[in-house]
Amino acid sequence: MKQLFGQIDPRQRETSGSHGRVVEGIGRSIVAGKPPPGDLLPRDEELVEEFGVSRTVLREAMKTLAAKGMVAPKARVGTRIQPRHEWNMFDAQVLRWHLDGEPSDSFYEQLFEMRLAFEPHAAALAARDATTEDIARIQACVAVMRSAEGEAEFSLADFEFHQAIFDAAGNAFFFSVVSLVGAALLSLLRRSSPEPKPGQQVKICNDHQRIVDAIAARDEVAARDAMQVVIEVGWARVFGNASTDGVQPL
């Protein structure tokens, strides 16, 4: 029988959990568009044979994928792949499947849109509630960004800057957001220039410093506006609407 979800190493039948192997195999394939949304998965008999599992294991795996919003089983019809907008992108496994492949422009666009919805408000909350220690931590991230000698060091400090602002905002739901999308934010490194240019690095750090200054001044409006500028500059650089020289801001 033709392998629909890639070759299954016979050794994995013994060393990997059957349930997890089925979820991984089908989930990754769905994210890759094979099969695409709207299509039906192969019949249970074919999947049981391909993965070498029982019908009970297959049924439980389908329940897991359904809970992620990826499939919808129907009696006498089959299991249909759900539209992408039904998928739970806050599910760590679904997010990892996207990042393990080549994320599309649409993936990054939606990530930026989510950031615009959350991060300016987080900066405003930080301006209202940040402690002296929070502000010192955020300032320290900018200092590391200024002294960074490579793109990887710079971008990691940049990410830690944004994480520190989420922490300073003090909203428990934000903690969950940043923990789940952190890997997605760091994946923007794939689309950035490998070496920072000093002029660009200074400008990006200055933009981030404006956020710190607004937070330290307890100016919620200025903090919100400064964060929005930083995110929009990042958007423009990723999608080619601004110069692509230098460091990719997060």
Side-chain angles (χ1 to χ4, degrees):
M1 185 184 78
K2 180 181 177 182
Q3 291 288 339
L4 301 170
F5 297 97
Q7 293 294 326
I8 305 297
D9 186 339
R11 291 171 297 179
Q12 291 182 348
R13 299 182 191 279
E14 302 299 329
T15 60
S16 299
S18 298
H19 173 271
R21 183 157 42 83
V22 176
V23 171
E24 279 281 324
I26 297 178
R28 284 181 180 277
S29 293
I30 291 173
V31 168
K34 302 173 183 178
D39 278 17
L40 291 172
L41 285 175
R43 292 177 300 127
D44 288 358
E45 293 80 1
E46 296 177 72
L47 295 175
V48 163
E49 181 180 349
E50 175 160 353
F51 287 99
V53 297
S54 67
R55 286 181 178 272
T56 299
V57 169
L58 179 65
R59 186 163 53 248
E60 291 304 311
M62 289 303 172
K63 288 180 181 178
T64 298
L65 292 168
K68 298 176 187 295
M70 301 181 76
V71 301
K74 282 193 176 181
R76 296 186 296 278
V77 174
T79 301
R80 192 173 301 278
I81 310 301
Q82 292 285 77
R84 287 181 181 268
H85 68 263
E86 297 283 348
W87 302 358
N88 179 10
M89 292 302 296
F90 284 145
D91 182 282
Q93 200 169 24
V94 174
L95 187 60
R96 175 167 56 79
W97 290 333
H98 279 82
L99 296 175
D100 285 348
E102 281 298 325
S104 65
D105 283 353
S106 175
F107 175 87
Y108 285 115
E109 287 171 1
Q110 291 175 41
L111 175 60
F112 273 118
E113 289 167 354
M114 190 204 71
R115 293 186 65 199
L116 281 171
F118 283 100
E119 289 194 65
H121 187 59
L125 291 178
R128 187 189 72 187
D129 297 330
T131 65
T132 301
E133 291 75 15
D134 290 330
I135 295 170
R137 176 187 171 195
I138 299 167
Q139 180 63 69
C141 292
V142 177
V144 175
M145 290 169 65
R146 289 192 186 279
S147 63
E149 296 182 354
E151 181 266 348
E153 181 184 358
F154 180 94
S155 296
L156 181 58
D158 195 353
F159 171 71
E160 290 176 350
F161 171 92
H162 291 274
Q163 186 174 40
I165 288 178
F166 272 116
D167 290 346
N171 185 303
F173 289 99
F174 284 162
F175 299 156
S176 298
V177 169
V178 75
S179 67
L180 284 172
V181 305
L185 294 178
L186 288 176
S187 77
L188 292 172
L189 298 180
R190 298 177 183 176
R191 307 186 62 146
S192 63
S193 181
E195 293 295 335
K197 301 289 182 66
Q200 288 289 340
Q201 185 164 341
V202 169
K203 182 182 184 305
I204 293 167
C205 290
N206 288 344
D207 287 344
H208 284 65
Q209 184 64 50
R210 290 188 186 94
I211 301 173
V212 183
D213 292 343
I215 292 173
R218 305 298 179 185
D219 189 333
E220 297 179 35
V221 173
R224 180 184 293 109
D225 292 346
M227 178 63 79
Q228 182 163 337
V229 168
V230 163
I231 297 171
E232 288 176 344
V233 168
W235 180 305
R237 292 179 64 79
V238 166
F239 292 102
N241 297 321
S243 170
T244 56
D245 292 335
V247 178
Q248 166 62 54
L250 292 177

